[in-house]
Amino acid sequence: MTSGIAPLDERTTDLVRRLGDDLRAGGFTVEALDRLWGADAAAALHRGERVPARRILDARRAAHDPAADLATLAELFVLGLPVPEREAAHALPSLGVDGAVELELLMRDAATTTRAGAAGDAASVRPLLDLRPYAFVDAHGDGQWWILSDLGEVALGHELGEGHVLGVGGASMTLSGLMLPTPVRTVLDLGTGCGIQAMHATRFADRVVATDISLRALRLAQLNVAMNGIEGVEFRLGSLFEPVAGERFDRIVSNPPFVITPRAPGVPEYEYRDGGMVGDGIVEAVMRGAAEHLEHGGIAQLLGNWEVRDVEDGLDRARGWAGHLEHWIVEREVQRATEYAETWIRDGGTRPGTPAFDRLYEAWLDDFERRGVREVGFGYVLLRRPAEETAPRLARVERLHGPLGSGAGAGGLGVHLAACLEAHDRQARLDDAALAAQRLAVAGDVTEERHHWPGDEHPTAMLLRQGGGFGRVVSLDTGLAALVGACDGELPVAAIVAAIADLLEVDADALAADLLPAVRALIDDGMLLLPAE
């Protein structure tokens, strides 16, 4: 059974607003924290070590530094450590400690309070939630939010609970960077977690529906939306597409719980990462289900894992899950089954070299062995419901395991993907004669490399290198290199091909038949640009 969840009541909304006011007044931003504890402490935090940052924050607070309130907020909510109640009260003047306790953001340390007296100076408070600043840049500019989630393993001092609500991690940032920035009316965020993708979707959508199987995740997502003054998000409780049965959307985004986990007794099932299905079944379910919930021309974007089996390639399986939808599936990396198991056992907080780790490792390897899984691929999936039956179909499946281009373009890969989709649709509607009439230009981030053996006049290799986007590298032959080099937006492709054919003393029609498919591919990849319409 599924349902929408009740909006925040008036009292909670007021408390969350006050919290936001205090964080704003305290300068609780990514940039301010980086300045506060410096590069070395920041690097240690990325490794899960908080001692260097704690020492700096303690010194700031003890010296009543101008940044003492910021240090208090950081020690509480980023490091997850207790602080004296009087310092928390000073850093949260609008919300107050009582308000933070009511919001279930803080708890009073009962042991310390009993020892020092209910109102004593030594009374302390400790966090119940992780709260940290988040900065981003997208096609609409830069922005900063604050994100509530559950305390991590370091703050808890033990393994995560199975109902843990994750904050903004690497996968979250990857998906938000992939989102197409083109405006739409409606977006479905399937499996919203802390709400970060729904929040990003409000940057380009009129209305967002965010779903999750976890009521706790939805409550935290509600708080995050309210704390950051974001409107237009509706929250619904339920599994997969059940909360939106019969509805269609212009865009679907999902960072599904795609981690492949053994369905075996004693193996923890974390809601934020495990979809409760065998193998990569959750990714298959999301991809197959998207078809019924996209408007004509609508696009779904998600992250996923797929198993590489003894008898079946993972990308071939993912291609089959797309069904009749247009698709662009990019595999970004592959892990051996053993590496994959180790990664996700450690992610749950179980330490290598312990009996618990070995027991879980056996369970993972047994599970993979049953299905003949050798490796697991990870990548990006874009699906599109054709706008019309006669429209040219997008069908791309590729392995791009190398580094992305520098910065992946302004606003992330989403801008690049949107431009590539538009370019593909335009070139696919052109027959060869119409394509040959186009005046193409080389994209500004594209360079050419030529490699020579010492003393040789002619190059042994010619490469076209993309600076942004996926950072593609394309090998060139003499004809294609000459064509690309002449694409300055002035001459039509047909004239360039004719000149090259004359220079090489080959048939122009045969050369055109050889070069035009490569030209189409370079347009699809964003390396050659069609003239503006």
Side-chain angles (χ1 to χ4, degrees), residues 8 336 414 490:
L8 299 179
R336 299 293 300 174
E490 297 295 327

Side-chain angles (χ1 to χ4, degrees), residues 71-84:
T72 297
L73 293 172
E75 189 140 355
L76 267 175
F77 298 126
V78 180
L79 303 192
L81 294 169
V83 301

Side-chain angles (χ1 to χ4, degrees), residues 437-440 486-496:
Q438 299 297 309
R439 290 171 165 81
L440 304 179
C487 284
D488 58 3
E490 297 295 327
L491 291 173
V493 171
I496 297 172

Side-chain angles (χ1 to χ4, degrees), residues 10 29-30 90 98 118 126 160 176 179 186 201 204 219 224 261 269 317 345 383 399 426 431 441 478 500 529:
E10 188 174 334
T29 66
V30 172
H90 196 272
D98 286 342
R126 64 179 61 248
L160 302 178
S176 64
M179 281 192 194
T186 58
F204 57 84
R219 292 299 187 196
N224 286 327
T261 304
E269 296 182 21
R317 301 177 66 245
I345 297 169
L383 306 171
R399 289 184 168 89
R426 287 183 61 191
D431 61 20
T478 301
I500 296 170
L529 306 179

Side-chain angles (χ1 to χ4, degrees), residues 197-220:
Q197 307 305 334
M199 293 165 68
H200 274 289
T202 63
R203 304 272 284 179
F204 57 84
D206 297 330
R207 171 175 168 263
V208 178
V209 175
T211 69
D212 207 283
I213 199 170
S214 165
L215 180 59
R216 177 170 177 75
L218 291 174
R219 292 299 187 196
L220 286 176

Side-chain angles (χ1 to χ4, degrees), residues 284-424:
E284 178 180 1
V286 173
M287 289 179 64
R288 292 191 186 279
E292 297 180 15
H293 297 280
L294 285 172
E295 297 281 8
H296 289 286
I299 290 173
Q301 293 183 269
L302 63 140
L303 304 180
N305 274 170
W306 34 82
E307 296 179 339
V308 181
R309 300 177 179 175
D310 291 332
V311 296
E312 193 173 17
D313 182 83
L315 277 178
D316 288 341
R317 301 177 66 245
R319 187 202 324 261
W321 301 338
H324 69 275
L325 294 178
E326 296 181 85
H327 54 272
W328 186 358
I329 305 171
V330 179
E331 184 177 85
R332 292 289 296 136
E333 63 177 294
V334 169
Q335 278 190 310
R336 299 293 300 174
T338 48
E339 296 171 323
Y340 188 89
E342 292 164 16
T343 296
W344 292 109
I345 297 169
R346 285 195 301 266
D347 178 80
T350 304
R351 301 298 185 186
T354 64
F357 189 95
D358 291 348
R359 177 179 57 80
L360 291 174
Y361 207 166
E362 291 278 5
W364 245 276
L365 296 185
D366 286 345
D367 183 58
F368 282 143
E369 188 175 300
R370 277 192 289 272
R371 293 188 303 281
V373 177
R374 296 180 286 105
E375 297 173 325
V376 178
F378 167 82
Y380 316 149
V381 177
L382 185 151
L383 306 171
R384 182 169 64 177
R385 186 180 180 193
E388 52 192 67
E389 292 301 323
T390 58
R393 293 186 62 82
L394 173 73
R396 300 188 70 171
V397 176
E398 52 189 337
R399 289 184 168 89
L400 297 173
H401 291 182
L404 295 173
S406 176
L413 266 178
V415 173
H416 177 72
L417 293 178
C420 288
L421 284 177
E422 181 185 9
H424 165 80

